Amino acid sequence: MHDDVKQLVAAGYDAIADEFAEWQRGIRGSQRLERLDDLLRRLPLQPDVLELGSGAGVRSTRILAERGRLTGVDISGEQVRRARERVPEARFIHADFMEVDFAEATFDAVVSFYVLNNLPRDEVSPLLDRVRRWLRPEGWFLASFPTTDNPGWRGEWLGVEMFFSGYDVPTTVGLVRESGLEVVEDAVETMIEPDYGEGRWLWVLARKPD
Ligand SMILES: C[S@@+](CC[C@H](N)C(=O)[O-])C[C@H]1O[C@@H](n2cnc3c(N)ncnc32)[C@H](O)[C@@H]1O
């Protein structure tokens, strides 16, 4: 499903790997590392973690790989190539995370940092169902979601054509609850992105019931 959009997203991140990395270094106000630190304190020693849209192997990915067994999935071949080079101890799968599958109860945590605005929003619920199935009982889900009601937008971003989509905050939080995960925390962060100004993200920390 959504093959054209998926190809566009993959080709975009392949093409702008350097520009994106540079742009990302200029972001201010991201709560990523604090949220990750909070998650790590909840996890067992050497956890099995799945990262959705794992990107090029930035610091949060390296921290997860040092702490336990990390599996990353990314649709961009160039992002996966960079991640494998930077984080050789982790396993990276080049795929759409809506197309891969794992056995039930494989992971202690599933995380996703600044990715889910690239996902067509009708795939949010199916993704949450997959996440719940892949998590062990009492496993954790930590992800940032877009915050605006956007059925789907294509346009120029960092010099390539990109796709963004998402729901407003109450809708996303409702979908997480409906998926059977228990929402432990939801909060909106405002970060400052180079050239684009304020960017708002919804952080959700949720747990699979026992
Ligand atoms: C904004 S980047 C963030 C990368 C990384 N999480 C980080 O924080 O640096 C979004 C990433 O998600 C990947 N991505 C987007 N949609 C995806 C999908 N359906 N399946 C797998 N990866 C996806 C892109 O290729 C890109 O590497």
Side-chain angles (χ1 to χ4, degrees):
M1 225 167 74
H2 297 299
D3 287 351
D4 53 337
V5 162
K6 300 297 172 92
Q7 276 165 24
L8 188 145
V9 169
Y13 284 102
D14 281 348
I16 56 164
D18 286 333
E19 293 82 352
F20 173 70
E22 178 63 27
W23 180 83
Q24 195 179 38
R25 276 192 287 276
I27 290 175
R28 297 289 170 262
S30 164
Q31 297 174 5
R32 175 204 306 255
L33 293 178
E34 290 88 329
R35 301 252 168 216
L36 176 60
D37 193 50
D38 172 70
L39 174 72
L40 290 177
R41 277 187 268 113
R42 299 167 189 267
L43 294 181
L45 286 177
Q46 301 210 310
D48 289 298
V49 178
L50 172 65
E51 181 170 7
L52 305 172
S54 36
V58 298
R59 192 161 155 210
S60 43
T61 301
R62 293 197 296 271
I63 291 171
L64 283 164
E66 274 163 26
R67 168 75 188 265
R69 287 171 295 271
L70 178 67
T71 301
V73 182
D74 202 287
I75 202 166
S76 154
E78 178 57 18
Q79 298 293 324
V80 167
R81 190 190 68 72
R82 290 173 183 227
R84 285 181 179 146
E85 210 170 86
R86 285 201 192 123
V87 198
E89 66 272 36
R91 172 169 71 130
F92 293 99
I93 300 169
H94 177 203
D96 177 354
F97 48 67
M98 298 307 294
E99 300 287 335
V100 292
D101 206 3
F102 301 98
E104 191 168 337
T106 299
F107 298 104
D108 298 299
V110 177
V111 301
S112 185
F113 302 113
Y114 306 116
V115 170
L116 299 177
N117 59 343
N118 291 138
L119 189 69
R121 70 182 191 178
D122 63 3
E123 293 193 328
V124 171
S125 274
L127 174 66
L128 292 168
D129 288 343
R130 299 168 141 248
V131 168
R132 193 202 56 247
R133 188 158 46 80
W134 296 336
L135 281 173
R136 295 184 176 133
E138 304 198 321
W140 293 92
F141 176 52
L142 173 66
S144 45
F145 288 87
T147 57
T148 45
D149 180 31
N150 169 12
W153 175 92
R154 284 171 185 229
E156 192 269 336
W157 182 72
L158 296 183
V160 290
E161 194 185 1
M162 190 47 74
F163 172 84
F164 297 114
S165 178
Y167 292 110
D168 62 17
V169 169
T171 303
T172 298
V173 174
L175 290 178
V176 178
R177 292 210 169 95
E178 277 169 28
S179 77
L181 295 168
E182 289 171 1
V183 175
V184 174
E185 202 190 336
D186 59 285
V188 174
E189 83 172 16
T190 303
M191 54 155 68
I192 306 296
E193 301 174 344
D195 304 329
Y196 293 93
E198 281 191 356
R200 281 157 55 82
W201 288 86
L202 167 67
W203 283 99
V204 173
L205 176 68
R207 194 168 204 197
K208 178 171 174 168
D210 190 4

